[in-house]
């Protein structure tokens, strides 16, 4: 019996998800456009004073990124779930956690990374100084994978449920607050990293990842299965 | 070869899914080679193939890519030649590189069935394998099952149309 | 003598036991409420700085503390249900959630009422307030998830996972919010509590105990309903006198 190595499995699933995303580009673009529109709405809502806009820019970008990542969460598992691929993945003679990690990474590349790349352009709209832009990018680069991670748990729990989209936001948004606080706080008016902040972010990241992976790897076996059963039978 | 029969809603699919370990049985346990499948875990999954109601193939990918990925996930190393041979065997010659979304229901089912040919697993668990298949494909399926059984394979399946495999005694399980 | 705990973990046994316990908890809660309110309003002296307004603390503080405590208990029961697959623990978890949410809401509401005369604002973006608000969201998420899954066993498992993740996140959220707050505006609220008058303490403890007993009584009552609902097809339910009637 020749088993696939863990790394091989990881890259297989990531490559598959990326190819799928490439063939359905509209989905990726929708999320990105949503992000741009939400950010652009803020100056219209609060007024065009540059001082105020500069001050609130990181927060606005972060909240918009959070909402945009909620939007794409539903797609993380649902397509695979509906066409039966997910149940085949459950039967893979390999660590389920690696599989889930691969799906999360692929999801981040498709929906998180474009946001990070787009963010500086939006920052310029708010007249953010260059240094602050770099901090914003770095913070988003650290933060968006965590959002995907936490979001994956919510997406898994609400798979195949009525009103899954709204429900997943209700479950996931409160859990994302630390990411928002650290992320937006970092890119705030001070524009520089505190010595004590980095370890905190790393710690947070580690716990977030740990919980996410653990929950996905062990929780879903029974949880997913029953969920799949749900659609097949009722 | 075990054929599971029963009216709609009698629990055929639930039985098969429980055998796959998707659900825990309320009482008792499921054993493979004398050991509980929940203890065996990956070792059990490496020795079985499951084909459910859903085809588990992606509309956006072509048949070749679909099979390459599903075989990869199952841990089988296959090259394109094997995949193409499997697809030809199932009558999909010339359709290997078409996106699956342009194929008909029966052709998609055939793509899903090609997975069986690419796997070395001794245990096949098939839930309504004949859905959407034409007469020719049903005959082909009988042939494939016959070959699998000759290789000391095991097949558990549900169906509403009886499958006759020459020279093999089918065991029946009727659920009500 | 060793008690067979597993006997009490079967819903049919627990249904009867809970039924016997409910009146005890309910009555003692009621008596303690009366005593506690009497102490709070008539015995405890007027505060020098906050005058009469501080008296809302006698409801506010027990509600806040219990709302947090109940979340942990709920997550604990949910975890038990997830690990040992015991139906009753999961039922207890879902029975506790509405009470916890109610107390969290009460704590926010009374906090706002207290905040207006003290700080001049209904709401301050203080770490404690924000965490309590998020706690309320976590409760609502738990209830919503549980309600949107039809199969009760599946609902139990999914919401148990959520409760566990939530309980791990609660401290992280609390510290992050506290840190966010101190960065932006500095601590604006200091809870007194340095030299509380004896009668104030007595009032507070009595009220705390009363709310606690109330929470137990209501949860037991609710778990009885959940048991009946889920086990309605079981033999023992149809033999109950209240059902036959």
């Amino acid at each position: 019996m020749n088993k696939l190595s863990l790394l091989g499995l990881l890259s297989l699933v990531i490559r598959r998800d990326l190819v799928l995303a490439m063939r359905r580009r509209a989905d990726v673009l929708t999320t990105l456009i949503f992000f741009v529109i939400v950010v652009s709405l803020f100056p219209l809502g609060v007024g065009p004073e540059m001082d105020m806009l500069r001050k609130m820019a990181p927060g606005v970008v972060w909240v918009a990124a959070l909402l945009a990542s909620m939007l794409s969460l539903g797609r993380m598992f649902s397509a695979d779930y509906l066409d039966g691929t997910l149940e085949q993945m459950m039967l893979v003679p390999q660590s389920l956690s690696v599989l889930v990690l691969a799906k999360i990474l692929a999801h981040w590349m498709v929906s998180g990374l474009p946001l990070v790349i787009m963010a500086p352009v939006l920052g310029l709209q708010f007249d953010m100084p260059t240094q602050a832009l770099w901090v914003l990018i770095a913070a988003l680069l650290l933060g968006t994978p965590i959002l995907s991670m936490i979001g994956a748990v919510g997406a898994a729990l609400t798979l195949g449920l009525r009103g899954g989209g709204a429900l997943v936001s209700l479950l996931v948004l409160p859990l994302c607050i630390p990411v928002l606080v650290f992320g937006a706080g970092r890119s705030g008016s001070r524009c520089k990293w505190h010595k004590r902040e980095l370890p905190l972010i790393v710690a947070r990241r580690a716990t977030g990842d740990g919980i996410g992976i653990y929950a996905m790897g062990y929780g879903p076996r029974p949880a997913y299965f029953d969920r799949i059963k749900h659609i097949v039978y009722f | 070869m075990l054929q599971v029969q029963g009216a709609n809603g009698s629990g055929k699919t639930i039985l098969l899914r429980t055998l796959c370990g998707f659900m825990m049985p309320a009482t008792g346990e499921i054993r493979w080679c004398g050991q509980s499948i929940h203890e065996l875990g990956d070792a059990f999954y490496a020795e079985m193939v499951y084909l459910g109601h859903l085809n588990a193939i992606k509309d956006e990918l072509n048949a070749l890519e679909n099979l390459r990925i599903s075989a990869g996930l199952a841990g089988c190393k296959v090259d394109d030649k094997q995949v193409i041979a499997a697809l030809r065997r199932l009558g999909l010659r010339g359709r290997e590189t078409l996106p699956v979304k342009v194929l008909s229901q029966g052709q998609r089912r055939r793509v899903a069935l090609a997975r069986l040919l690419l796997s070395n697993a001794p245990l096949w668990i098939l839930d309504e394998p004949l859905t959407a298949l034409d007469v020719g494909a049903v005959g082909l399926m009988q042939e494939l099952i016959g070959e699998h059984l000759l290789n000391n394979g095991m097949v558990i399946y549900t169906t509403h149309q009886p499958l006759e495999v020459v020279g093999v005694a089918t065991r029946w399980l009727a659920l009500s | 003598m060793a008690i067979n705990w597993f006997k009490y973990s079967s819903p049919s046994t627990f249904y009867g036991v809970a039924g016997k316990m409910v009146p005890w908890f309910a009555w003692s809660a009621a008596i303690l409420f009366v005593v506690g309110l009497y102490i709070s309003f008539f015995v405890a002296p007027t505060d020098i700085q906050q005058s009469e307004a501080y008296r809302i603390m006698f409801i506010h503080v027990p509600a806040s503390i219990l709302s947090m405590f109940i979340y942990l208990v709920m997550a604990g029961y949910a975890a038990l249900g997830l690990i040992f697959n015991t139906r009753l623990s999961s039922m207890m978890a879902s029975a506790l959630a509405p009470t916890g949410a109610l107390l969290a809401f009460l704590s926010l509401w009374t906090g706002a009422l207290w905040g207006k005369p003290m700080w001049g604002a209904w709401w301050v973006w203080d770490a404690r307030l924000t965490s309590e608000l998020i706690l309320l969201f976590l409760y609502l998420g738990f209830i919503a998830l549980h309600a949107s899954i039809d199969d009760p066993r599946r609902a139990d498992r999914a919401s148990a996972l959520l409760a566990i993740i939530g309980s791990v996140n609660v401290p992280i959220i609390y510290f992050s919010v506290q840190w966010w707050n101190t960065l932006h505006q500095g601590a604006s609220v200091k809870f007194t509590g340095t030299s509380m008058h004896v009668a104030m303490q007595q009032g507070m403890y009595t009220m705390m105990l009363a709310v606690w007993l109330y929470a137990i009584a209501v949860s037991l009552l609710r778990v009885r309903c959940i048991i009946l609902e889920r086990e309605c097809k079981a033999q023992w339910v149809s033999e109950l006198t209240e059902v036959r009637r």
Side-chain angles (χ1 to χ4, degrees):
Chain A
M1 180 181 74
N2 40 19
K3 256 171 118 177
L4 209 57
S5 71
L6 289 184
L7 224 56
L9 181 70
L10 199 72
S11 74
L12 180 75
V13 176
I14 291 180
R15 262 185 290 136
R16 186 198 80 124
D17 280 13
L18 291 184
V19 170
L20 283 174
M22 277 308 289
R23 299 207 178 157
R24 265 189 314 218
R25 268 172 295 230
D27 285 1
V28 181
L29 285 177
T30 320
T31 313
L32 196 59
I33 294 169
F34 174 82
F35 177 59
V36 175
I37 291 180
V38 169
V39 173
S40 313
L41 284 180
F42 270 85
L44 300 176
V46 299
E49 291 86 18
M50 266 306 168
D51 272 349
M52 188 172 57
L53 289 183
R54 209 173 295 132
K55 220 163 142 189
M56 57 188 276
V60 169
V61 171
W62 263 95
V63 171
L66 199 57
L67 294 179
S69 66
M70 287 302 111
L71 203 64
S72 61
L73 274 185
R75 286 200 301 274
M76 196 188 272
F77 298 112
S78 65
D80 283 344
Y81 168 55
L82 289 176
D83 67 18
T85 315
L86 201 61
E87 57 181 15
Q88 288 298 334
M89 287 184 170
M90 297 295 128
L91 299 176
V92 167
Q94 273 290 1
S95 154
L96 212 53
S97 302
V98 174
L99 223 145
V100 174
L101 181 69
K103 284 209 68 83
I104 294 172
L105 283 176
H107 177 262
W108 175 74
M109 288 181 199
V110 169
S111 67
L113 203 53
L115 302 186
V116 180
I117 297 168
M118 201 63 200
V121 182
L122 298 174
L124 288 177
Q125 266 193 329
F126 284 72
D127 194 30
M128 279 173 79
T130 323
Q131 197 195 0
L133 281 179
W134 283 112
V135 178
L136 179 69
I137 295 174
L140 278 172
L141 215 48
L142 275 173
T144 42
I146 305 176
L147 295 184
S148 291
M149 214 67 97
I150 301 172
V153 179
L157 290 179
T158 54
L159 203 51
L161 299 183
R162 290 169 262 119
L167 190 60
V168 81
S169 310
L170 181 61
L171 304 186
V172 172
L173 283 176
L175 301 178
C176 289
I177 287 169
V179 185
L180 180 67
V181 169
F182 288 133
R186 267 356 58 236
S187 348
S189 50
R190 302 175 174 228
C191 301
K192 61 174 187 253
W193 297 75
H194 275 261
K195 270 186 208 145
R196 58 174 180 155
E197 285 160 15
L198 207 58
L200 259 173
I201 292 173
V202 173
R204 164 71 199 148
R205 207 194 146 129
T207 44
D209 294 7
I211 298 163
I213 301 293
Y214 179 83
M216 305 300 296
Y218 294 85
R221 267 221 193 198
Y224 263 162
F225 292 173
D226 294 5
R227 196 144 302 128
I228 292 160
K229 177 192 96 186
H230 195 70
I231 274 225
V232 175
Y233 298 112
F234 301 103
Chain B
M1 177 153 110
L2 175 67
Q3 178 167 341
V4 182
Q5 280 186 314
N8 294 131
S10 59
K12 298 187 294 294
T13 303
I14 295 201
L15 175 68
L16 292 198
R17 296 179 68 83
T18 314
L19 289 181
C20 292
F22 281 132
M23 287 177 259
M24 292 285 270
T27 54
E29 66 174 353
I30 294 154
R31 290 188 190 182
W32 174 249
C33 300
Q35 258 185 302
S36 155
I37 60 165
H38 290 280
E39 283 163 27
L40 279 173
D42 292 348
F44 171 66
Y45 291 123
E47 298 195 346
M48 60 92 77
V49 186
Y50 169 74
L51 184 70
H53 278 265
L54 300 168
N55 287 331
I57 51 178
K58 288 276 162 200
D59 279 353
E60 290 82 4
L61 304 178
N62 62 39
L64 195 62
E65 290 166 323
N66 262 308
L67 285 175
R68 223 187 281 145
I69 289 168
S70 57
L73 283 177
C76 310
K77 293 237 164 57
V78 291
D79 53 27
D80 285 0
K81 250 192 254 162
Q82 281 169 285
V83 177
I84 289 172
L87 284 170
R88 292 204 171 152
R89 178 89 201 268
L90 281 152
L92 293 169
R93 179 188 291 272
R95 295 188 175 76
E96 294 95 341
T97 51
L98 287 179
V100 171
K101 64 180 154 211
V102 306
L103 299 183
S104 75
Q105 282 301 327
Q107 285 171 325
R108 289 179 198 204
R109 196 65 179 163
R110 287 171 188 233
V111 174
L113 287 171
R115 280 218 323 267
L116 299 174
L117 289 181
L118 296 173
S119 138
N120 311 318
L123 174 63
W124 290 2
I125 297 182
L126 313 176
D127 198 355
E128 305 274 356
L130 307 180
T131 326
L133 291 185
D134 57 24
V135 181
V138 172
L140 185 64
M141 204 50 220
Q142 291 180 354
E143 224 176 285
L144 292 181
I145 290 180
E147 282 170 28
H148 182 60
L149 294 175
L150 278 180
N151 292 331
N152 294 324
M154 258 170 98
V155 181
I156 301 174
Y157 65 97
T158 62
T159 183
H160 292 292
Q161 46 198 120
L163 271 179
E164 294 298 332
V165 177
V166 188
V168 179
T170 310
R171 287 164 67 191
W172 305 82
L173 177 67
L175 298 177
S176 57
Chain C
M1 197 185 90
I3 305 170
N4 183 5
W5 288 106
F6 284 102
K7 187 178 154 215
Y8 293 104
S9 71
S10 99
S12 53
T13 326
F14 191 76
Y15 179 82
V17 176
K20 287 198 196 86
M21 289 192 309
V22 167
W24 291 97
F25 282 113
W27 278 110
S28 32
I31 293 165
L32 282 173
F33 263 126
V34 174
V35 175
L37 286 176
Y38 178 79
I39 298 176
S40 324
F41 280 106
F42 300 108
V43 180
T46 308
D47 189 79
I48 306 157
Q49 291 166 343
Q50 309 195 359
S51 69
E52 301 296 343
Y54 88 95
R55 291 187 197 275
I56 199 146
M57 159 187 99
F58 291 112
I59 294 173
H60 176 72
V61 174
S64 328
I65 292 179
L66 272 170
S67 66
M68 290 177 232
F69 179 68
I70 287 177
Y71 193 88
L72 290 181
V73 176
M74 183 182 90
Y77 272 122
L80 273 182
L82 194 65
I83 298 164
F84 299 110
N85 206 9
T86 45
R87 280 173 303 157
L88 187 61
S89 342
S90 307
M91 293 184 199
M92 270 310 279
S94 46
L96 280 166
T99 308
L102 177 73
L103 288 176
F105 177 71
L106 254 179
S107 136
L108 287 171
W109 191 17
T110 51
L113 289 179
W114 193 7
K116 187 63 184 169
M118 289 306 112
W119 313 322
W122 295 108
W123 182 263
V124 181
W125 285 101
D126 167 70
R128 286 185 197 233
L129 272 75
T130 316
S131 322
E132 188 72 28
L133 183 66
I134 296 165
L135 185 68
L136 178 62
F137 292 155
L138 289 178
Y139 273 122
L140 294 180
F142 181 91
I143 297 170
L145 182 63
H146 204 283
S148 61
I149 307 179
D150 293 329
D151 175 9
R153 275 176 66 192
R154 222 174 57 129
D156 283 345
R157 256 182 307 213
S159 45
L161 211 58
L162 184 73
I164 295 166
I165 296 170
S167 66
V168 176
N169 263 275
V170 164
I172 303 177
I173 293 174
Y174 179 75
F175 285 116
S176 75
V177 174
Q178 199 171 36
W179 185 58
W180 157 74
N181 175 274
T182 47
L183 257 187
H184 283 239
Q185 60 180 63
S188 57
V189 195
K190 286 271 192 320
F191 274 68
T192 47
T194 36
S195 57
M196 262 210 287
H197 192 274
V198 183
M200 287 188 196
Q201 283 184 12
Q202 283 170 349
M204 177 88 85
Y205 291 138
T206 321
M207 287 302 284
M208 180 97 75
L209 206 57
V211 176
W212 198 322
L213 293 175
Y214 158 81
I216 296 176
V218 175
S219 312
L220 286 178
L221 214 55
R222 202 173 286 124
V223 86
R224 266 166 67 91
C225 296
I226 295 175
I227 291 175
L228 277 191
E229 214 174 295
R230 296 228 196 141
E231 307 267 302
C232 57
K233 287 189 190 129
Q235 173 84 32
W236 66 268
V237 173
S238 53
E239 284 165 5
L240 290 171
T241 45
E242 59 261 41
V243 174
R244 262 190 289 183
R245 231 187 294 143

